[in-house]
Amino acid sequence: MSYFLLDEFENIEPYNPGEQPDDREYLKLNANESSFPPSPKVLEAIDKAHINGMSHYSDPYCWKLRKAIGDHFGVSAEEVFVGNGADEVLSFCLMSFFRPGMKICFPDITYDFYRIYAKAYRLDYEQIPLRDDFTLDIEPYIESDRDVIIANPNNPTGLAIPVSEIERLVASNKNRMVIIDEAYVDFGNESVLPLVKKYSNLVVVYTFSKSRNMPGARIGFAISSKAIIEDMNKIKFAFNPFNLSSLTIEGGCAAVNDEVYFEYCVNSVIKEREEFEKKLSEIGYEVIPTTTNFVFFKAFRTPAGELTAKLKKKGILVRHYDDERVCDYIRMTVGTHDEMERVLVALLEIE
Ligand code: PMP
């Protein structure tokens, strides 16, 4: 007997999240998370909210969080969509804008979820190779008539393209939908957000999982024109109206309002990243210069797969890819100073 769902969704391919061990013994640097806790104000807000929050359904419009995000970014709540992580936001983007067979494109190599969602929604997708040095050439996207998803900066390479390049793409065909995933934008990059007012075919996606230290809370959001956000909310109401819990809504508001803590965490990560990149280069690793909360570097003596396994034996989890273009590389989250010192000691012992 075959299950209807499995037949129907033969295109479905589960995302590989990397190792997510329960065992907190590991120094977990394999998923671009955060070594900082959320703002203390988040914990206070969740604590206050939990009694009423748990005994009633959450606000399906998530107005309070949309307003807090809107006020912070200088847009109205009607221009903000919130989801259970950027992953769900991306999923609702694809569900809202595309029908099976529609054409989209995104880089090869990039965040694997774009391909997995595109397959699941049966889109006709094309992956446009990065250049050999992992930089992104915008021309093939401009020349294509396809809708586009680009992570800027990209994951796992950590490289970003200038906003002016993205504007050329968005302006080149105003009938084309352009989704820019700015999950890592806060660690030293320019955002395309100001372009949202100018172009109604642009959607910018963000997450609280990186610069706001809350991957476990699952909060992501998109900013776009009111019409696009309204469409996304219609789709959300058809599939999962109460997609954010009351606790997450309150915690999210507190996080977005605590600018001082946000600046402190982001600046600490940037400082540590710069120091760590320098030390990796001194050991002899070729490091791709990045503006994210992770580093991407080429193994040179011990092959990357072996290095990953050896680091794991020393209690450190990092990400290694099977894809032949990046199989010599390691992606590693930037943690605290002490954590990165521990990594350097481990690398020197292994090499
Ligand atoms: N976009 C990119 C480029 C990512 O790397 C990730 C997660 N690593 C996400 C989106 C998903 O973020 P979230 O945790 O908010 O679902």
Side-chain angles (χ1 to χ4, degrees):
M1 190 183 101
S2 73
Y3 291 98
F4 166 76
L5 274 179
L6 292 183
D7 283 350
E8 186 68 7
F9 292 109
E10 62 190 13
N11 264 344
I12 294 268
E13 178 188 324
Y15 174 68
N16 169 9
E19 287 182 88
Q20 306 288 349
D22 280 342
D23 183 352
R24 296 283 152 186
E25 292 300 296
Y26 285 107
L27 169 53
K28 198 167 170 301
L29 302 176
N30 64 337
N32 302 345
E33 294 154 306
S34 175
S35 290
F36 290 94
S39 152
K41 293 186 178 157
V42 170
L43 306 180
E44 260 169 51
I46 291 177
D47 203 35
K48 263 197 210 148
H50 81 273
I51 297 173
N52 281 337
M54 294 262 243
S55 50
H56 294 88
Y57 281 106
S58 57
D59 169 18
Y61 296 95
C62 304
W63 280 123
K64 189 170 172 184
L65 181 55
R66 290 167 68 194
K67 170 121 184 26
I69 293 171
D71 288 349
H72 183 79
F73 288 92
V75 299
S76 70
E78 288 83 4
E79 291 162 302
V80 180
F81 176 88
V82 289
N84 198 266
D87 286 339
E88 192 194 48
V89 174
L90 288 162
S91 171
F92 279 127
C93 280
L94 297 198
M95 255 198 252
S96 313
F97 312 150
F98 306 119
R99 296 291 163 263
M102 283 174 75
K103 295 178 174 186
I104 68 164
C105 62
F106 40 84
D108 176 18
I109 311 149
T110 191
Y111 184 42
D112 209 24
F113 239 131
Y114 307 154
R115 188 181 58 82
I116 287 166
Y117 279 145
K119 276 180 90 171
Y121 295 130
R122 299 167 185 225
L123 306 183
D124 169 355
Y125 65 91
E126 181 189 345
Q127 292 184 264
I128 301 181
L130 297 174
R131 295 188 185 104
D132 288 346
D133 63 358
F134 300 139
T135 56
L136 185 146
D137 178 5
I138 204 71
E139 296 307 331
Y141 296 85
I142 292 177
E143 281 158 23
S144 165
D145 58 353
R146 289 170 180 262
D147 296 309
V148 177
I149 312 180
I150 290 177
N152 199 45
N154 196 16
N155 173 14
T157 62
L159 292 172
I161 52 169
V163 166
S164 55
E165 296 279 276
I166 295 172
E167 180 159 19
R168 283 208 297 126
L169 168 71
V170 179
S172 67
N173 174 356
K174 293 194 180 143
N175 294 320
R176 168 213 327 265
M177 188 66 83
V178 177
I179 301 168
I180 301 296
D181 179 348
E182 292 196 344
Y184 302 98
V185 75
D186 293 326
F187 300 99
N189 301 276
E190 193 190 353
S191 171
V192 287
L193 188 60
L195 299 185
V196 165
K197 297 262 180 237
K198 214 165 146 191
Y199 301 98
S200 56
N201 55 331
L202 175 64
V203 181
V204 195
V205 176
Y206 300 92
T207 177
F208 280 48
S209 298
K210 314 295 173 188
S211 53
R212 297 195 189 268
N213 322 309
M214 297 168 73
R218 311 304 300 128
I219 310 176
F221 61 101
I223 297 182
S224 189
S225 65
K226 284 184 189 172
I228 283 180
I229 297 299
E230 198 181 323
D231 280 355
M232 287 178 67
N233 269 311
K234 273 190 203 145
I235 296 291
K236 180 190 106 150
F237 270 71
F239 285 90
N240 191 12
F242 304 102
N243 62 335
L244 257 66
S245 77
S246 335
L247 304 192
T248 341
I249 291 173
E250 291 299 331
C253 290
V256 85
N257 288 330
D258 195 347
E259 191 60 17
V260 174
Y261 186 72
F262 166 80
E263 292 284 341
Y264 164 74
C265 295
V266 162
N267 288 333
S268 308
V269 170
I270 294 174
K271 183 168 170 278
E272 195 50 47
R273 180 189 72 212
E274 286 168 356
E275 234 171 83
F276 186 65
E277 282 180 328
K278 207 165 138 251
K279 289 187 180 155
L280 283 177
S281 307
E282 281 165 11
I283 297 176
Y285 292 108
E286 185 192 312
V287 186
I288 308 285
T290 183
T291 43
T292 62
N293 67 340
F294 59 89
V295 288
F296 192 58
F297 61 94
K298 194 169 185 180
F300 71 113
R301 210 170 282 139
T302 311
E306 203 182 314
L307 191 53
T308 304
K310 286 187 168 164
L311 283 169
K312 186 175 175 186
K313 279 209 177 120
K314 290 179 177 288
I316 300 168
L317 291 183
V318 299
R319 188 85 193 249
H320 167 249
Y321 295 83
D322 292 331
D323 181 312
E324 84 177 51
R325 289 190 61 196
V326 283
C327 65
D328 295 335
Y329 287 79
I330 286 192
R331 192 197 69 187
M332 187 188 291
T333 318
V334 176
T336 62
H337 183 72
D338 288 352
E339 288 170 346
M340 299 330 276
E341 285 296 310
R342 180 176 158 194
V343 172
L344 289 165
V345 169
L347 285 173
L348 287 171
E349 281 169 5
I350 294 167
E351 302 283 19

PDB file of all heavy atoms in Angstrom, residues 15 31-32 84-88 90 111 114 151 153-155 181 183-184 205-210 215 218-220 331, ligand 1:
ATOM      1  N   TYR A  15      14.855  18.992   4.575  1.00  0.00           N
ATOM      2  CA  TYR A  15      16.025  19.837   4.825  1.00  0.00           C
ATOM      3  C   TYR A  15      16.958  19.111   5.794  1.00  0.00           C
ATOM      4  O   TYR A  15      16.500  18.455   6.723  1.00  0.00           O
ATOM      5  CB  TYR A  15      15.547  21.157   5.437  1.00  0.00           C
ATOM      6  CG  TYR A  15      16.666  22.066   5.879  1.00  0.00           C
ATOM      7  CD1 TYR A  15      17.505  22.654   4.938  1.00  0.00           C
ATOM      8  CD2 TYR A  15      16.863  22.355   7.225  1.00  0.00           C
ATOM      9  CE1 TYR A  15      18.535  23.496   5.340  1.00  0.00           C
ATOM     10  CE2 TYR A  15      17.894  23.199   7.629  1.00  0.00           C
ATOM     11  CZ  TYR A  15      18.718  23.760   6.683  1.00  0.00           C
ATOM     12  OH  TYR A  15      19.732  24.589   7.084  1.00  0.00           O
ATOM     13  N   ALA A  31      25.547  25.968  13.242  1.00  0.00           N
ATOM     14  CA  ALA A  31      24.248  26.393  12.682  1.00  0.00           C
ATOM     15  C   ALA A  31      24.054  27.913  12.710  1.00  0.00           C
ATOM     16  O   ALA A  31      22.913  28.387  12.665  1.00  0.00           O
ATOM     17  CB  ALA A  31      23.108  25.696  13.436  1.00  0.00           C
ATOM     18  N   ASN A  32      25.130  28.662  12.745  1.00  0.00           N
ATOM     19  CA  ASN A  32      25.039  30.134  12.718  1.00  0.00           C
ATOM     20  C   ASN A  32      24.071  30.672  13.766  1.00  0.00           C
ATOM     21  O   ASN A  32      23.279  31.579  13.490  1.00  0.00           O
ATOM     22  CB  ASN A  32      24.628  30.638  11.330  1.00  0.00           C
ATOM     23  CG  ASN A  32      25.576  30.198  10.256  1.00  0.00           C
ATOM     24  OD1 ASN A  32      26.690  29.754  10.556  1.00  0.00           O
ATOM     25  ND2 ASN A  32      25.163  30.299   9.005  1.00  0.00           N
ATOM     26  N   ASN A  84       6.998  32.206  11.804  1.00  0.00           N
ATOM     27  CA  ASN A  84       7.678  31.313  12.731  1.00  0.00           C
ATOM     28  C   ASN A  84       9.089  31.041  12.191  1.00  0.00           C
ATOM     29  O   ASN A  84       9.360  29.980  11.632  1.00  0.00           O
ATOM     30  CB  ASN A  84       6.833  30.032  12.800  1.00  0.00           C
ATOM     31  CG  ASN A  84       7.148  29.214  14.010  1.00  0.00           C
ATOM     32  OD1 ASN A  84       7.968  28.314  13.956  1.00  0.00           O
ATOM     33  ND2 ASN A  84       6.526  29.527  15.104  1.00  0.00           N
ATOM     34  N   GLY A  85       9.938  32.046  12.330  1.00  0.00           N
ATOM     35  CA  GLY A  85      11.270  31.970  11.730  1.00  0.00           C
ATOM     36  C   GLY A  85      11.232  32.464  10.294  1.00  0.00           C
ATOM     37  O   GLY A  85      10.168  32.469   9.653  1.00  0.00           O
ATOM     38  N   ALA A  86      12.410  32.875   9.787  1.00  0.00           N
ATOM     39  CA  ALA A  86      12.487  33.308   8.384  1.00  0.00           C
ATOM     40  C   ALA A  86      12.104  32.155   7.462  1.00  0.00           C
ATOM     41  O   ALA A  86      11.591  32.368   6.361  1.00  0.00           O
ATOM     42  CB  ALA A  86      13.890  33.798   8.070  1.00  0.00           C
ATOM     43  N   ASP A  87      12.331  30.924   7.914  1.00  0.00           N
ATOM     44  CA  ASP A  87      11.968  29.771   7.079  1.00  0.00           C
ATOM     45  C   ASP A  87      10.481  29.788   6.752  1.00  0.00           C
ATOM     46  O   ASP A  87      10.079  29.601   5.599  1.00  0.00           O
ATOM     47  CB  ASP A  87      12.308  28.460   7.796  1.00  0.00           C
ATOM     48  CG  ASP A  87      13.805  28.186   7.820  1.00  0.00           C
ATOM     49  OD1 ASP A  87      14.520  28.766   6.977  1.00  0.00           O
ATOM     50  OD2 ASP A  87      14.253  27.401   8.666  1.00  0.00           O
ATOM     51  N   GLU A  88       9.653  30.036   7.770  1.00  0.00           N
ATOM     52  CA  GLU A  88       8.215  30.056   7.490  1.00  0.00           C
ATOM     53  C   GLU A  88       7.845  31.277   6.633  1.00  0.00           C
ATOM     54  O   GLU A  88       6.974  31.199   5.773  1.00  0.00           O
ATOM     55  CB  GLU A  88       7.404  30.063   8.794  1.00  0.00           C
ATOM     56  CG  GLU A  88       5.939  29.777   8.510  1.00  0.00           C
ATOM     57  CD  GLU A  88       5.013  30.079   9.671  1.00  0.00           C
ATOM     58  OE1 GLU A  88       5.108  31.173  10.272  1.00  0.00           O
ATOM     59  OE2 GLU A  88       4.174  29.232   9.982  1.00  0.00           O
ATOM     60  N   LEU A  90       9.709  32.632   4.346  1.00  0.00           N
ATOM     61  CA  LEU A  90      10.081  32.272   2.965  1.00  0.00           C
ATOM     62  C   LEU A  90       9.047  31.319   2.372  1.00  0.00           C
ATOM     63  O   LEU A  90       8.640  31.454   1.215  1.00  0.00           O
ATOM     64  CB  LEU A  90      11.460  31.612   2.942  1.00  0.00           C
ATOM     65  CG  LEU A  90      12.642  32.551   3.193  1.00  0.00           C
ATOM     66  CD1 LEU A  90      13.896  31.777   3.600  1.00  0.00           C
ATOM     67  CD2 LEU A  90      12.931  33.393   1.951  1.00  0.00           C
ATOM     68  N   TYR A 111      21.599  29.118   0.603  1.00  0.00           N
ATOM     69  CA  TYR A 111      20.826  28.478   1.668  1.00  0.00           C
ATOM     70  C   TYR A 111      19.931  27.404   1.036  1.00  0.00           C
ATOM     71  O   TYR A 111      19.139  27.692   0.139  1.00  0.00           O
ATOM     72  CB  TYR A 111      20.000  29.553   2.365  1.00  0.00           C
ATOM     73  CG  TYR A 111      19.208  29.071   3.553  1.00  0.00           C
ATOM     74  CD1 TYR A 111      19.757  28.192   4.482  1.00  0.00           C
ATOM     75  CD2 TYR A 111      17.917  29.520   3.761  1.00  0.00           C
ATOM     76  CE1 TYR A 111      19.030  27.772   5.577  1.00  0.00           C
ATOM     77  CE2 TYR A 111      17.185  29.108   4.864  1.00  0.00           C
ATOM     78  CZ  TYR A 111      17.746  28.235   5.758  1.00  0.00           C
ATOM     79  OH  TYR A 111      17.026  27.815   6.848  1.00  0.00           O
ATOM     80  N   TYR A 114      15.940  27.203  -0.148  1.00  0.00           N
ATOM     81  CA  TYR A 114      15.290  27.761  -1.348  1.00  0.00           C
ATOM     82  C   TYR A 114      14.969  26.624  -2.324  1.00  0.00           C
ATOM     83  O   TYR A 114      13.891  26.552  -2.898  1.00  0.00           O
ATOM     84  CB  TYR A 114      16.178  28.798  -2.050  1.00  0.00           C
ATOM     85  CG  TYR A 114      16.697  29.916  -1.170  1.00  0.00           C
ATOM     86  CD1 TYR A 114      17.875  30.583  -1.489  1.00  0.00           C
ATOM     87  CD2 TYR A 114      16.019  30.302  -0.018  1.00  0.00           C
ATOM     88  CE1 TYR A 114      18.359  31.611  -0.693  1.00  0.00           C
ATOM     89  CE2 TYR A 114      16.507  31.331   0.794  1.00  0.00           C
ATOM     90  CZ  TYR A 114      17.679  31.964   0.445  1.00  0.00           C
ATOM     91  OH  TYR A 114      18.159  32.961   1.244  1.00  0.00           O
ATOM     92  N   ALA A 151      20.188  35.411  -1.009  1.00  0.00           N
ATOM     93  CA  ALA A 151      20.571  35.682   0.375  1.00  0.00           C
ATOM     94  C   ALA A 151      21.729  36.664   0.320  1.00  0.00           C
ATOM     95  O   ALA A 151      22.747  36.395  -0.309  1.00  0.00           O
ATOM     96  CB  ALA A 151      21.017  34.396   1.067  1.00  0.00           C
ATOM     97  N   PRO A 153      24.005  38.978   3.001  1.00  0.00           N
ATOM     98  CA  PRO A 153      25.075  38.101   2.552  1.00  0.00           C
ATOM     99  C   PRO A 153      24.589  36.659   2.362  1.00  0.00           C
ATOM    100  O   PRO A 153      23.580  36.262   2.916  1.00  0.00           O
ATOM    101  CB  PRO A 153      26.085  38.147   3.696  1.00  0.00           C
ATOM    102  CG  PRO A 153      25.695  39.280   4.564  1.00  0.00           C
ATOM    103  CD  PRO A 153      24.266  39.534   4.339  1.00  0.00           C
ATOM    104  N   ASN A 154      25.405  35.943   1.574  1.00  0.00           N
ATOM    105  CA  ASN A 154      25.044  34.567   1.251  1.00  0.00           C
ATOM    106  C   ASN A 154      25.472  33.610   2.379  1.00  0.00           C
ATOM    107  O   ASN A 154      26.405  33.884   3.121  1.00  0.00           O
ATOM    108  CB  ASN A 154      25.747  34.176  -0.057  1.00  0.00           C
ATOM    109  CG  ASN A 154      25.169  32.927  -0.688  1.00  0.00           C
ATOM    110  OD1 ASN A 154      24.064  32.483  -0.341  1.00  0.00           O
ATOM    111  ND2 ASN A 154      25.901  32.348  -1.621  1.00  0.00           N
ATOM    112  N   ASN A 155      24.782  32.516   2.464  1.00  0.00           N
ATOM    113  CA  ASN A 155      25.142  31.405   3.358  1.00  0.00           C
ATOM    114  C   ASN A 155      25.359  30.192   2.454  1.00  0.00           C
ATOM    115  O   ASN A 155      24.471  29.904   1.649  1.00  0.00           O
ATOM    116  CB  ASN A 155      23.968  31.166   4.326  1.00  0.00           C
ATOM    117  CG  ASN A 155      24.150  29.932   5.183  1.00  0.00           C
ATOM    118  OD1 ASN A 155      25.233  29.383   5.260  1.00  0.00           O
ATOM    119  ND2 ASN A 155      23.069  29.497   5.809  1.00  0.00           N
ATOM    120  N   ASP A 181      16.978  37.899   1.078  1.00  0.00           N
ATOM    121  CA  ASP A 181      17.017  37.319   2.418  1.00  0.00           C
ATOM    122  C   ASP A 181      18.193  37.957   3.169  1.00  0.00           C
ATOM    123  O   ASP A 181      19.352  37.661   2.884  1.00  0.00           O
ATOM    124  CB  ASP A 181      17.190  35.803   2.261  1.00  0.00           C
ATOM    125  CG  ASP A 181      17.277  35.070   3.587  1.00  0.00           C
ATOM    126  OD1 ASP A 181      17.426  35.724   4.622  1.00  0.00           O
ATOM    127  OD2 ASP A 181      17.202  33.826   3.554  1.00  0.00           O
ATOM    128  N   ALA A 183      19.106  37.670   6.346  1.00  0.00           N
ATOM    129  CA  ALA A 183      19.269  37.020   7.657  1.00  0.00           C
ATOM    130  C   ALA A 183      20.518  37.518   8.395  1.00  0.00           C
ATOM    131  O   ALA A 183      20.526  37.632   9.611  1.00  0.00           O
ATOM    132  CB  ALA A 183      19.326  35.503   7.485  1.00  0.00           C
ATOM    133  N   TYR A 184      21.592  37.823   7.623  1.00  0.00           N
ATOM    134  CA  TYR A 184      22.883  38.174   8.248  1.00  0.00           C
ATOM    135  C   TYR A 184      23.265  39.643   8.063  1.00  0.00           C
ATOM    136  O   TYR A 184      24.418  40.011   8.253  1.00  0.00           O
ATOM    137  CB  TYR A 184      23.990  37.272   7.667  1.00  0.00           C
ATOM    138  CG  TYR A 184      23.713  35.811   7.882  1.00  0.00           C
ATOM    139  CD1 TYR A 184      23.148  35.032   6.883  1.00  0.00           C
ATOM    140  CD2 TYR A 184      23.969  35.223   9.114  1.00  0.00           C
ATOM    141  CE1 TYR A 184      22.853  33.693   7.088  1.00  0.00           C
ATOM    142  CE2 TYR A 184      23.683  33.882   9.333  1.00  0.00           C
ATOM    143  CZ  TYR A 184      23.132  33.129   8.319  1.00  0.00           C
ATOM    144  OH  TYR A 184      22.845  31.799   8.540  1.00  0.00           O
ATOM    145  N   VAL A 205      13.521  39.808   3.597  1.00  0.00           N
ATOM    146  CA  VAL A 205      13.244  38.843   4.672  1.00  0.00           C
ATOM    147  C   VAL A 205      14.330  38.944   5.751  1.00  0.00           C
ATOM    148  O   VAL A 205      15.521  39.056   5.432  1.00  0.00           O
ATOM    149  CB  VAL A 205      13.193  37.406   4.091  1.00  0.00           C
ATOM    150  CG1 VAL A 205      13.012  36.367   5.194  1.00  0.00           C
ATOM    151  CG2 VAL A 205      12.070  37.291   3.062  1.00  0.00           C
ATOM    152  N   TYR A 206      13.890  38.900   7.014  1.00  0.00           N
ATOM    153  CA  TYR A 206      14.817  39.014   8.151  1.00  0.00           C
ATOM    154  C   TYR A 206      14.515  37.933   9.181  1.00  0.00           C
ATOM    155  O   TYR A 206      13.458  37.316   9.149  1.00  0.00           O
ATOM    156  CB  TYR A 206      14.637  40.364   8.860  1.00  0.00           C
ATOM    157  CG  TYR A 206      14.878  41.559   8.013  1.00  0.00           C
ATOM    158  CD1 TYR A 206      13.824  42.158   7.328  1.00  0.00           C
ATOM    159  CD2 TYR A 206      16.146  42.105   7.901  1.00  0.00           C
ATOM    160  CE1 TYR A 206      14.036  43.276   6.541  1.00  0.00           C
ATOM    161  CE2 TYR A 206      16.365  43.215   7.117  1.00  0.00           C
ATOM    162  CZ  TYR A 206      15.302  43.803   6.438  1.00  0.00           C
ATOM    163  OH  TYR A 206      15.528  44.893   5.662  1.00  0.00           O
ATOM    164  N   THR A 207      15.428  37.823  10.144  1.00  0.00           N
ATOM    165  CA  THR A 207      15.217  36.843  11.211  1.00  0.00           C
ATOM    166  C   THR A 207      15.698  37.380  12.559  1.00  0.00           C
ATOM    167  O   THR A 207      16.596  38.229  12.605  1.00  0.00           O
ATOM    168  CB  THR A 207      15.956  35.523  10.899  1.00  0.00           C
ATOM    169  OG1 THR A 207      15.773  34.631  11.988  1.00  0.00           O
ATOM    170  CG2 THR A 207      17.455  35.721  10.689  1.00  0.00           C
ATOM    171  N   PHE A 208      15.102  36.878  13.632  1.00  0.00           N
ATOM    172  CA  PHE A 208      15.579  37.178  14.983  1.00  0.00           C
ATOM    173  C   PHE A 208      16.592  36.110  15.434  1.00  0.00           C
ATOM    174  O   PHE A 208      17.053  36.119  16.563  1.00  0.00           O
ATOM    175  CB  PHE A 208      14.410  37.166  15.982  1.00  0.00           C
ATOM    176  CG  PHE A 208      13.578  38.427  16.001  1.00  0.00           C
ATOM    177  CD1 PHE A 208      13.124  39.006  14.831  1.00  0.00           C
ATOM    178  CD2 PHE A 208      13.218  39.027  17.201  1.00  0.00           C
ATOM    179  CE1 PHE A 208      12.343  40.155  14.843  1.00  0.00           C
ATOM    180  CE2 PHE A 208      12.445  40.168  17.231  1.00  0.00           C
ATOM    181  CZ  PHE A 208      12.008  40.738  16.053  1.00  0.00           C
ATOM    182  N   SER A 209      16.908  35.163  14.531  1.00  0.00           N
ATOM    183  CA  SER A 209      17.739  34.013  14.927  1.00  0.00           C
ATOM    184  C   SER A 209      19.222  34.327  15.009  1.00  0.00           C
ATOM    185  O   SER A 209      19.990  33.552  15.566  1.00  0.00           O
ATOM    186  CB  SER A 209      17.578  32.873  13.917  1.00  0.00           C
ATOM    187  OG  SER A 209      16.263  32.432  13.874  1.00  0.00           O
ATOM    188  N   LYS A 210      19.645  35.444  14.401  1.00  0.00           N
ATOM    189  CA  LYS A 210      21.089  35.703  14.322  1.00  0.00           C
ATOM    190  C   LYS A 210      21.447  36.892  15.223  1.00  0.00           C
ATOM    191  O   LYS A 210      21.916  36.702  16.321  1.00  0.00           O
ATOM    192  CB  LYS A 210      21.499  35.969  12.865  1.00  0.00           C
ATOM    193  CG  LYS A 210      20.914  34.979  11.853  1.00  0.00           C
ATOM    194  CD  LYS A 210      21.414  33.579  12.033  1.00  0.00           C
ATOM    195  CE  LYS A 210      20.677  32.604  11.118  1.00  0.00           C
ATOM    196  NZ  LYS A 210      21.018  31.222  11.420  1.00  0.00           N
ATOM    197  N   PRO A 215      17.279  32.008  17.957  1.00  0.00           N
ATOM    198  CA  PRO A 215      16.869  31.002  16.975  1.00  0.00           C
ATOM    199  C   PRO A 215      15.812  30.032  17.511  1.00  0.00           C
ATOM    200  O   PRO A 215      14.938  29.585  16.779  1.00  0.00           O
ATOM    201  CB  PRO A 215      18.167  30.278  16.620  1.00  0.00           C
ATOM    202  CG  PRO A 215      19.140  30.628  17.679  1.00  0.00           C
ATOM    203  CD  PRO A 215      18.737  31.955  18.231  1.00  0.00           C
ATOM    204  N   ARG A 218      12.008  31.210  17.207  1.00  0.00           N
ATOM    205  CA  ARG A 218      11.425  31.144  15.876  1.00  0.00           C
ATOM    206  C   ARG A 218      10.655  32.418  15.526  1.00  0.00           C
ATOM    207  O   ARG A 218       9.417  32.466  15.550  1.00  0.00           O
ATOM    208  CB  ARG A 218      10.510  29.908  15.708  1.00  0.00           C
ATOM    209  CG  ARG A 218      11.072  28.579  16.157  1.00  0.00           C
ATOM    210  CD  ARG A 218      12.391  28.227  15.484  1.00  0.00           C
ATOM    211  NE  ARG A 218      12.279  28.134  14.045  1.00  0.00           N
ATOM    212  CZ  ARG A 218      13.104  28.797  13.218  1.00  0.00           C
ATOM    213  NH1 ARG A 218      14.089  29.566  13.672  1.00  0.00           N
ATOM    214  NH2 ARG A 218      12.962  28.659  11.930  1.00  0.00           N
ATOM    215  N   ILE A 219      11.365  33.471  15.211  1.00  0.00           N
ATOM    216  CA  ILE A 219      10.718  34.701  14.728  1.00  0.00           C
ATOM    217  C   ILE A 219      11.458  35.189  13.483  1.00  0.00           C
ATOM    218  O   ILE A 219      12.681  35.380  13.506  1.00  0.00           O
ATOM    219  CB  ILE A 219      10.745  35.857  15.766  1.00  0.00           C
ATOM    220  CG1 ILE A 219      10.247  35.384  17.137  1.00  0.00           C
ATOM    221  CG2 ILE A 219       9.878  37.031  15.269  1.00  0.00           C
ATOM    222  CD1 ILE A 219      10.329  36.453  18.228  1.00  0.00           C
ATOM    223  N   GLY A 220      10.700  35.378  12.418  1.00  0.00           N
ATOM    224  CA  GLY A 220      11.249  35.980  11.204  1.00  0.00           C
ATOM    225  C   GLY A 220      10.226  36.975  10.704  1.00  0.00           C
ATOM    226  O   GLY A 220       9.068  36.966  11.142  1.00  0.00           O
ATOM    227  N   ARG A 331      32.378  25.773   7.639  1.00  0.00           N
ATOM    228  CA  ARG A 331      31.641  26.961   8.096  1.00  0.00           C
ATOM    229  C   ARG A 331      31.512  26.873   9.608  1.00  0.00           C
ATOM    230  O   ARG A 331      31.134  25.827  10.138  1.00  0.00           O
ATOM    231  CB  ARG A 331      30.255  27.004   7.442  1.00  0.00           C
ATOM    232  CG  ARG A 331      29.550  28.336   7.625  1.00  0.00           C
ATOM    233  CD  ARG A 331      28.064  28.239   7.340  1.00  0.00           C
ATOM    234  NE  ARG A 331      27.402  27.450   8.359  1.00  0.00           N
ATOM    235  CZ  ARG A 331      26.116  27.086   8.303  1.00  0.00           C
ATOM    236  NH1 ARG A 331      25.373  27.422   7.272  1.00  0.00           N
ATOM    237  NH2 ARG A 331      25.586  26.365   9.277  1.00  0.00           N
TER     238      ARG A 331
HETATM  239  N1  PMP B   1      17.946  32.565   5.605  1.00  0.00           N
HETATM  240  C1  PMP B   1      19.230  32.229   5.678  1.00  0.00           C
HETATM  241  C2  PMP B   1      20.170  32.741   4.637  1.00  0.00           C
HETATM  242  C3  PMP B   1      19.686  31.397   6.710  1.00  0.00           C
HETATM  243  O1  PMP B   1      20.977  31.049   6.756  1.00  0.00           O
HETATM  244  C4  PMP B   1      18.762  30.929   7.675  1.00  0.00           C
HETATM  245  C5  PMP B   1      19.144  30.021   8.821  1.00  0.00           C
HETATM  246  N2  PMP B   1      20.364  29.603   8.971  1.00  0.00           N
HETATM  247  C6  PMP B   1      17.439  31.309   7.552  1.00  0.00           C
HETATM  248  C7  PMP B   1      17.058  32.122   6.511  1.00  0.00           C
HETATM  249  C8  PMP B   1      16.397  30.792   8.509  1.00  0.00           C
HETATM  250  O2  PMP B   1      16.290  31.573   9.649  1.00  0.00           O
HETATM  251  P1  PMP B   1      15.226  31.247  10.766  1.00  0.00           P
HETATM  252  O3  PMP B   1      15.954  30.661  11.913  1.00  0.00           O
HETATM  253  O4  PMP B   1      14.632  32.578  11.118  1.00  0.00           O
HETATM  254  O5  PMP B   1      14.180  30.315  10.199  1.00  0.00           O
END
